[in-house]
Amino acid sequence: MSNETIDLKTRLITDFHAREAVMNGEASSEFHQKKRAGLALFEQLGFPSIKHEEWKYSNVRDLISVSYDFNAESSIGLTELEDLKVPEQEANILYFVNGRYNAELSAIISPVGQITISSLADAYKNDPAKVASFFNELTKDANDAFTALNTAFAQDGVFVHIPDNQSVEHPIILRFVSDAREKNVGSQPRNIISVGKNAHVKLAEAFRTLGDQRSFTNAVTEIQVAEEANVQYYKVQNESENAYHIGTTQVRMLDRSHFYAGTVTLNGKFTRNNLNIVLDGEHCDAHMYGLYFPDGSQHVDNHTVADHQKPNSESNELYKGILRDKSKGVFNGKIFVRPDAQKTNAFQSCKNIVLSPDATMNTKPQLEIFADDVKCSHGTTTGQIDEEALFYMRSRGISQPEAMSLLMFAFCADVVSQIKIDSVREYLENVITQKLASK
Amino acid sequence: MRITFAGNYHELSFKYKSVMLSINDLRASIEGKEILKGINLEVKPGEVHAIMGPNGSGKSTLASVLAGREEYEVTGGNVVFDGKDILEMAPEERAAEGIFLAFQYPVEIPGVTTINFLKTAVNEIRKYKGEAPLDAAQFLKMVREKAKLVSMNDSLLKRALNEGFSGGEKKRNEVFQMAVLEPKLAILDETDSGLDIDALRIVAEGVNSLRSPERSTIVVTHYQRLLDYIVPDYVHVLYKGRIVKSGPKELALELEEKGYDWIKAEVEAVG
């Protein structure tokens, strides 16, 4: 472990205590006690090295070798954001710049009332007990340094609470912008989403970077999905060549609920996504779609968990990647079928196209099945573009680059088509088309 | 610079009549093994040539080499199409020049609809020729007409290219693509393989509906039955990488009756 590694860890711990010292009575609140526990866990675990089984192929040494300003001010306005935008549609749009909610840029259009859509900071001001009761509930058993670090420093993010039988008509789009034009910036957004019985919501997290300095985002999202609820959750990362992103999405599903996740990593220096779904109910279905598209020396790591705890539920997973240049991809998909979870159906597939001899893909399906009456399958493929398909297209007059683009777009299509927020899907189609045309 | 003759095609056609495709001593190998050992063939506009021969004689290799399949290495000879040597051209350039290969095994391409695929192909070829792309309405109108011409069901157009198509649907899709792209030279590689007699007839009718005095066809087939429907002007027998016999359409009937052994014997006798 280098001195600098100790530096970032020590610096964060010192920073925490400095903040705590000026908190007065708030330090004894339930919210802060949870944060303090987070810090203690982070202190105990430290940043993971590649000796850690979960981090074997993803080395954070580079990420933690510098310091970041976690409180950076930003003068960012709508003009600067213009080119970072996702095409508009009627949606609740919440901007977070360097991790903090920006009310001026944001527009919450769903009627105020029973449904709460607000920043975490505002929600906490209004109802500290309620926010504290949800905070870190799903992630409390996570033995993960970055999640613990986020818990310790959680300040802002989104707080969405949808009571039973309510639905949010317009999607909720969260835009996290790192303003790294002047210095290395860090942010640790914490999103808490609680969806009541038979409630419906679609939401998307979009991460962007402005500027060429480093950005480090350590994001955690907790999503509670009550009985019969339907949640569609998308995460889109189109960050800079100097963006480091660690994110965990922790989901808990109850009886007869439906959860759809789409995780699309278009750009970023180093990305690690953890998507952990606990199927804690019967007759649930969880769907996980992922797409990643690294080039240059980018690194994308997706770790997923489908944890079947009750009988009669289904999980279905499809991750796809196209790797170019010297990029690296990692996929680790865990399926747990607990002893009670009879009649589970769990499917997993990870398909990759490696376009360069210098690119690498590590895939690891991991199935742990403790029930005997289950259907599980997994498969991974890593290959090149289909030469026969390429020749077929060329023999019809389609140039090689155009044929490659069409084939790769088609490869991405079965993930992209799963994204049910129109503006987000169209945005992805545009960016992917451009990215395919660029090489 | 590319010169296109718009409007006066017929005045010029006498020139094309002389020869459209000229294959001279063509030799090709794959993985160091020579498959084509000196092919000579001339095709004039409007003609239909059948290439027959036993399995492994090099029929499909010839079709592939003409279309530009890169696994094959051309080791000798040349191929002149419309006055241009095509062997240095990429497959897409050959297609734009007017060569079409109907595949023996059409490829399934999930995620790309037939219609989108064809629109890209049509407009890429138009770009090559210096023509403006067709807009969506023009393209759709044209495609519908062509689909009708070759009895192609409209509903297949919106599906992913060949994905889950039956053998007959795949072959019909090949002929449909040919109708849309309007090649000067169509090469049908074992188009009859895997088809029952009804599917064969429909596909052949499609091909026949596209016959014209300007369009030539090379039919590669093992069996004579396709030639009952697509009647050739000439029949060539390919054996061990060479054309060992050529004749009128009756040669196909003779082969049907007597098999290939007598041809093999003839060749071996000559040495």
Side-chain angles (χ1 to χ4, degrees), chain B residues 94-146:
Chain B
R94 300 181 197 201
E97 290 288 343
I99 295 175
F100 180 92
L101 172 65
F103 279 50
Q104 181 176 5
Y105 304 108
V107 182
E108 297 195 9
I109 305 185
V112 180
T113 59
T114 302
I115 193 108
N116 189 28
F117 168 71
L118 268 179
K119 188 163 185 235
T120 308
V122 165
N123 284 333
E124 288 259 299
I125 290 175
R126 291 180 71 89
K127 191 166 85 186
Y128 181 88
K129 292 177 175 168
E131 297 166 1
L134 291 183
D135 65 33
Q138 291 169 318
F139 178 74
L140 270 180
K141 184 167 178 283
M142 184 265 279
V143 156
R144 289 222 176 90
E145 284 166 8
K146 303 291 185 182

Side-chain angles (χ1 to χ4, degrees), chain A residues 190-333:
Chain A
R190 180 74 166 218
N191 303 310
I192 297 173
I193 292 137
S194 165
V195 184
K197 287 179 191 170
N198 190 35
H200 295 237
V201 67
K202 292 180 192 174
L203 60 113
E205 299 176 352
F207 294 88
R208 302 298 310 263
T209 328
L210 201 66
D212 298 326
Q213 304 300 309
R214 275 204 195 193
S215 65
F216 168 31
T217 305
N218 179 30
V220 174
T221 297
E222 297 178 76
I223 307 177
Q224 303 244 30
V225 188
E227 291 86 347
E228 289 165 42
N230 186 316
V231 178
Q232 305 195 21
Y233 163 81
Y234 309 113
K235 181 170 180 175
V236 177
Q237 295 156 313
N238 192 8
E239 300 187 79
S240 76
E241 300 301 325
N242 267 323
Y244 293 75
H245 184 118
I246 312 270
T248 292
T249 299
Q250 185 75 38
V251 184
R252 179 168 177 252
M253 300 173 68
L254 299 181
D255 290 347
R256 296 176 304 282
S257 63
H258 315 278
F259 182 78
Y260 300 81
T263 307
V264 181
T265 309
L266 298 166
N267 213 54
K269 171 76 181 162
F270 181 95
T271 305
R272 165 66 176 260
N273 294 313
N274 302 309
L275 173 61
N276 306 324
I277 302 178
V278 179
L279 294 96
D280 193 9
E282 293 195 42
H283 303 285
C284 300
D285 53 88
H287 307 264
M288 294 177 263
Y289 295 95
L291 182 66
Y292 38 94
F293 215 146
D295 58 19
S297 61
Q298 297 179 357
H299 182 103
V300 182
D301 176 349
N302 280 289
H303 270 58
T304 66
V305 177
D307 186 350
H308 289 265
Q309 303 201 337
K310 301 270 168 72
N312 298 311
S313 285
E314 179 174 327
S315 64
N316 180 27
E317 176 167 26
L318 175 64
Y319 270 65
K320 288 188 145 188
I322 298 175
L323 293 97
R324 298 197 281 207
D325 306 328
K326 294 180 173 176
S327 62
K328 286 197 167 70
V330 181
F331 173 80
N332 179 301

Side-chain angles (χ1 to χ4, degrees), chain B residues 255-267:
Chain B
L255 290 167
E256 175 76 1
E257 195 184 322
K258 295 157 70 177
Y260 287 105
D261 287 348
W262 64 281
I263 300 250
K264 292 179 188 172
E266 263 186 32
V267 174

